[in-house]
Amino acid sequence: MLFFFLPLFLVFLMIGLPVFFGMLAAPGFLLWLNGQERDIALLYRNVYTGMDSFPLMAIPFFMLAGELMNRGGITMRIVEFSQAMIGHLKGGLAHVNILSSMLFAGLSGSAVADVSALGSMLIPAMEKNGYTRKFAAAVTAASSVIGPIIPPSGIMIIYAYVMGESVAALFLAGIVPGILIGLSLMLVVGFLAKRNDFPAASRRATWPEKGQASLKAFFPLLTPVIILGGILGGVFTPTEASAVAAVYAFIVALFILKTMGWADLPQVLTKAAMTTSVVLLLVGAAMAFKTVVSLSHAPEIMANFILGLSENPYILLFLINILLFVVGMFLDAGPAIIILGPILGPIFTDLGVHPVHFAIIMSVNLTVGLATPPMGLVLFVTSSVSGERVETIARAILPFLAVQIVAIFLITFVPQISLYLPQLFGFAK
């Protein structure tokens, strides 16, 4: 009977129950029906123990760093830098939107933070520049999924925690795929710009203007260098790196750029705390959910089913990408990783897929799902920021989703896209 926890969970989601409660109610109800009252106590105790972890402390610190950067006007400097570099291209502001997302990803690690920070600024600017609001919203939503791929990344911290992988290896493995997705989105913008005669955002910036924009963006763009440099150099752990990032963002915003005052701190701390609470509650519920996954023998049943489809790992990878893409349409990336990682990871590792490579396949696929209809969280956030209907954004985003799917298959079937940097720095064999 316990094997039906996943269908029951999906039923709860469809009737509108919040994910956190659905993840506890579905297995709890089945354990009760099965007469396993003792395991119900274990289930709910694991909500707390699932959150009580030193590696997960990185999440609130990275959330705080992102909020400090956003509140401190760092976003504007990144946009100005992007505009100075590529704003003169046809479809310039759309390109600026994507490049800003790639750079902002190195500060926040969150797709929702990306949409909130950049969307509120760039969607009105693109509309004034001659773009339709639905196209501006679609570009913002599509590019925001780069946030959790380029490090630092909250979902990769969660994956590393659940699966016992190296955070540094996953951070390094996400850099090239994140850039690949960004460039693929720019190709679509370039094609649409020629076809629809999109305007350039500005004239070509002179070298002094580029230098001035680079100088303004220097301290914000130094953040990912400090984070990755410190981790790779063995100066601090990923969790310690998150605390360093928060302190650095605080110093930059308050004392160097002076774009934020002491009076702004309570609101920044409150918002970071609220966002962190949502993420960690989901992690705790998902870890409790994982307890029932093991009790139900779902991994063994799923493994036998998958291996029964084919013995060819390439065919299985193709099929699993379709499964993850569908899951990503309905379920947030963090909970999906905690639920499916322990089931799917060992299967593909046994088939010869490198564990870091599979981590990136899973993370990228589920992250793209954030911007995929019908339930993609990013679509709803973008709708809130832009005032455009979700259905309208969902139609406009389809060309961008198409190239992102192509990028996912490239990442899947060309392992070195993910593995080159971790192997180069000695974090993967």
Side-chain angles (χ1 to χ4, degrees):
M1 182 180 289
L2 283 181
F3 188 71
F4 292 100
F5 70 92
L6 197 54
L8 184 59
F9 169 61
L10 294 176
V11 169
F12 283 148
L13 287 188
M14 284 188 280
I15 63 174
L17 195 68
V19 174
F20 172 73
F21 295 108
M23 294 179 86
L24 297 177
F29 180 67
L30 290 175
L31 286 170
W32 177 71
L33 284 181
N34 223 28
Q36 294 174 257
E37 284 82 4
R38 289 184 180 179
D39 290 325
I40 294 177
L42 175 67
L43 174 73
Y44 296 113
R45 189 166 64 245
N46 279 355
V47 175
Y48 172 74
T49 56
M51 292 185 281
D52 186 21
S53 164
F54 180 72
L56 288 181
M57 286 180 66
I59 293 175
F61 283 120
F62 278 132
M63 293 285 186
L64 178 57
E67 286 298 331
L68 286 166
M69 288 282 184
N70 190 22
R71 186 73 177 186
I74 309 300
T75 311
M76 176 63 78
R77 290 169 182 259
I78 289 174
V79 171
E80 288 174 354
F81 172 77
S82 302
Q83 189 157 330
M85 296 300 138
I86 59 172
H88 61 278
L89 299 175
K90 204 168 186 61
L93 264 185
H95 288 297
V96 167
N97 195 325
I98 296 166
L99 181 58
S100 297
S101 288
M102 293 168 71
L103 297 174
F104 194 76
L107 309 180
S108 72
S110 165
V112 172
D114 189 309
V115 172
S116 302
L118 296 174
S120 56
M121 184 186 310
L122 285 172
I123 291 173
M126 288 179 71
E127 204 173 357
K128 286 179 184 175
N129 207 233
Y131 298 86
T132 61
R133 188 188 302 179
K134 65 179 181 181
F135 179 80
V139 172
T140 304
S143 63
S144 71
V145 303
I146 302 169
I149 300 171
I150 293 177
S153 166
I155 63 168
M156 289 184 190
I157 293 169
I158 292 171
Y159 190 100
Y161 167 57
V162 174
M163 301 299 291
E165 296 296 332
S166 161
V167 174
L170 298 191
F171 276 10
L172 283 169
I175 294 173
V176 177
I179 293 171
L180 173 66
I181 289 175
L183 293 177
S184 67
L185 293 176
M186 285 183 172
L187 283 175
V188 175
V189 166
F191 171 76
L192 294 175
K194 286 183 180 178
R195 195 177 74 174
N196 300 321
D197 196 28
F198 289 158
S202 59
R203 59 175 177 77
R204 185 185 292 271
T206 63
W207 283 108
E209 287 170 338
K210 288 181 180 180
Q212 189 176 11
S214 302
L215 196 60
K216 283 184 178 180
F218 175 76
F219 287 108
L221 295 179
L222 202 59
T223 308
V225 177
I226 292 171
I227 294 169
L228 280 177
I231 294 171
L232 300 180
V235 178
F236 36 68
T237 66
T239 306
E240 292 163 349
S242 65
V244 170
V247 172
Y248 177 74
F250 175 78
I251 292 170
V252 168
L254 261 78
F255 301 112
I256 297 177
L257 301 181
K258 297 180 181 178
T259 48
M260 194 177 90
W262 290 98
D264 297 313
L265 271 183
Q267 190 175 352
V268 168
L269 292 169
T270 302
K271 194 170 181 182
M274 292 295 289
T275 311
T276 300
S277 300
V278 171
V279 173
L280 290 183
L281 277 174
L282 285 172
V283 170
M287 291 303 288
F289 199 89
K290 185 183 166 187
T291 305
V292 179
V293 171
S294 59
L295 289 171
S296 66
H297 302 288
E300 295 91 333
I301 296 168
M302 185 73 78
N304 292 332
F305 173 73
I306 290 173
L307 294 174
L309 296 174
S310 173
E311 294 182 358
N312 188 321
Y314 294 104
I315 292 174
L316 292 177
L317 281 171
F318 178 82
L319 294 174
I320 215 66
N321 268 315
I322 295 172
L323 171 67
L324 291 172
F325 189 75
V326 172
V327 168
M329 292 180 183
F330 299 95
L331 196 58
D332 197 22
I337 281 170
I338 298 175
I339 295 165
L340 296 176
I343 298 174
L344 300 175
I347 297 172
F348 284 89
T349 301
D350 291 343
L351 287 171
V353 178
H354 197 288
V356 172
H357 180 212
F358 186 75
I360 298 302
I361 293 171
M362 195 167 191
S363 298
V364 172
N365 213 319
L366 291 170
T367 301
V368 169
L370 292 171
T372 307
M375 297 291 289
L377 176 62
V378 159
L379 292 179
F380 291 94
V381 178
T382 309
S383 173
S384 174
V385 170
S386 66
E388 195 65 71
R389 290 170 59 86
V390 172
E391 309 91 89
T392 307
I393 300 171
R395 285 193 294 271
I397 205 174
L398 292 178
F400 300 104
L401 284 179
V403 296
Q404 286 176 331
I405 291 168
V406 172
I408 286 170
F409 282 111
L410 270 175
I411 292 162
T412 300
F413 296 113
V414 186
Q416 285 306 111
I417 292 174
S418 306
L419 295 177
Y420 177 72
L421 287 179
Q423 289 174 342
L424 180 66
F425 286 92
F427 285 91
K429 294 180 181 179

